[in-house]
Structure formats: structure tokens, C-alpha cells
Amino acid sequence: MPKKKRHSSSLKDLIKGVAVFLQDVEAKSMLDLSNPPKSIDHTLNYDYKIVNVENNQVNIKLVINIESIPENLFKIKLEVIGKYLFKEAINEEMVLNDVPFLLDALAPEVSYIVSFLTDRMLKQPYIIPPIISLELDVPKDTKKKNTKAPHLA
């Protein structure tokens, strides 16, 4: 009996376009600018949800929480929606297999938004790396990541 042909294309080969929409933003600055710290670190938490997979379109919601260390500088929560268009119909299994690639397409926009907001709040942009890396031991349907990285622009 002949083997069934598996779909061998990854989503990287099938992607036609990505649009990023800022759905919600909460930003708090708690800094007394008269006495700024010499260095800043941060904690970063994120969650994502595959909102829908329909024919050749996918919507993914990404929620990012970033808080400065020391805690009294800033706190930002962003919700962005990534709308992906593909050259052909895809399914949820294909999306789950390529979630890191799909989320990485949102990362530069998230980094830019955080930089813009912190520039307005602190008079200096705080730049987070435009990368979202997922841990392999977390269930595929919900990802959470905590990172600490020194990064002062």
C-alpha cells in the first residue's frame, strides 16, 4: 500500500503576510526622574492564545507583561494580535508546530512599542530583545516565559 504524502511545507514557506495590531496597552511609570537608577533590569512574562485557524488565516493573541527592576520604574502590559495570511489552507496542528516562528514575527513590534512607551515615560527608551523563545517543557496550548536580562538603552 503506498504511503500517504505528508504535508512537508513548514509555515515559513507558506506565509504570505503578517499584520500586527495593538489591542490593549497599560503603562505605568512610577519613577521619580530626579533620581534615576544607574542600571535597569526587567522581568518579562507572556502568554499566547491561538484565537482561530480558518482556511489560510490564523489569529494569535500575545499578552506581554514587563516590569522593571527596580520595581518602581515602569510596568507595561501589552496585548497584540498577529493576523497571519498563508498561500494555502492550513490546520491547527501546523500552527502548533510552528508557534515559535509565528510569535517571533510579533517580537520586533513588541520591542518597538516597549521602547516607544518607555522613551515617553522615562525620557530614555528601554529596549527588550525582539525575540520570543519558548520552553520545550511547557504545554503547547499555553506558553509562559519569565526572563531577566539587563538591557539599558
Side-chain angles (χ1 to χ4, degrees):
M1 180 176 256
K3 291 183 180 179
K4 286 186 179 180
K5 186 177 179 182
R6 292 185 64 196
H7 195 290
S8 62
S9 295
S10 76
L11 292 186
K12 294 173 190 174
D13 300 328
L14 299 176
I15 197 154
K16 192 173 181 179
V18 179
V20 181
F21 298 92
L22 181 59
Q23 185 172 18
D24 192 25
V25 62
E26 294 176 28
K28 296 177 185 175
S29 176
M30 302 158 271
L31 175 66
D32 176 8
L33 292 176
S34 64
N35 189 20
K38 295 193 186 301
S39 66
I40 301 174
D41 201 350
H42 70 272
T43 59
L44 177 64
N45 300 296
Y46 62 84
D47 293 313
Y48 78 86
K49 179 180 180 185
I50 298 169
V51 178
N52 71 323
V53 178
E54 195 171 309
N55 296 321
N56 66 334
Q57 296 181 343
V58 173
N59 293 340
I60 297 178
K61 179 180 182 176
L62 180 64
V63 179
I64 300 95
N65 289 291
I66 181 169
E67 189 169 346
S68 66
I69 299 172
E71 295 174 357
N72 63 343
L73 297 178
F74 65 87
K75 187 174 186 178
I76 298 172
K77 178 182 178 186
L78 301 174
E79 290 183 19
V80 295
I81 300 289
K83 295 189 177 211
Y84 304 84
L85 183 63
F86 297 92
K87 296 174 187 171
E88 61 186 52
I90 59 167
N91 59 45
E92 190 166 352
E93 181 182 349
M94 294 169 70
V95 173
L96 288 172
N97 289 335
D98 272 340
V99 164
F101 164 74
L102 296 172
L103 293 180
D104 275 347
L106 305 179
E109 298 296 331
V110 168
S111 179
Y112 172 75
I113 293 167
V114 169
S115 173
F116 175 82
L117 290 172
T118 55
D119 185 46
R120 296 306 185 263
M121 293 187 312
L122 306 173
K123 308 294 187 234
Q124 180 176 358
Y126 185 76
I127 301 169
I128 60 173
I131 298 167
I132 298 174
S133 61
L134 302 177
E135 294 176 0
L136 298 176
D137 58 346
V138 179
K140 287 186 178 181
D141 59 336
T142 303
K143 302 285 181 189
K144 292 186 180 186
K145 176 83 176 171
N146 293 320
T147 63
K148 285 179 67 176
H151 217 84
L152 183 59

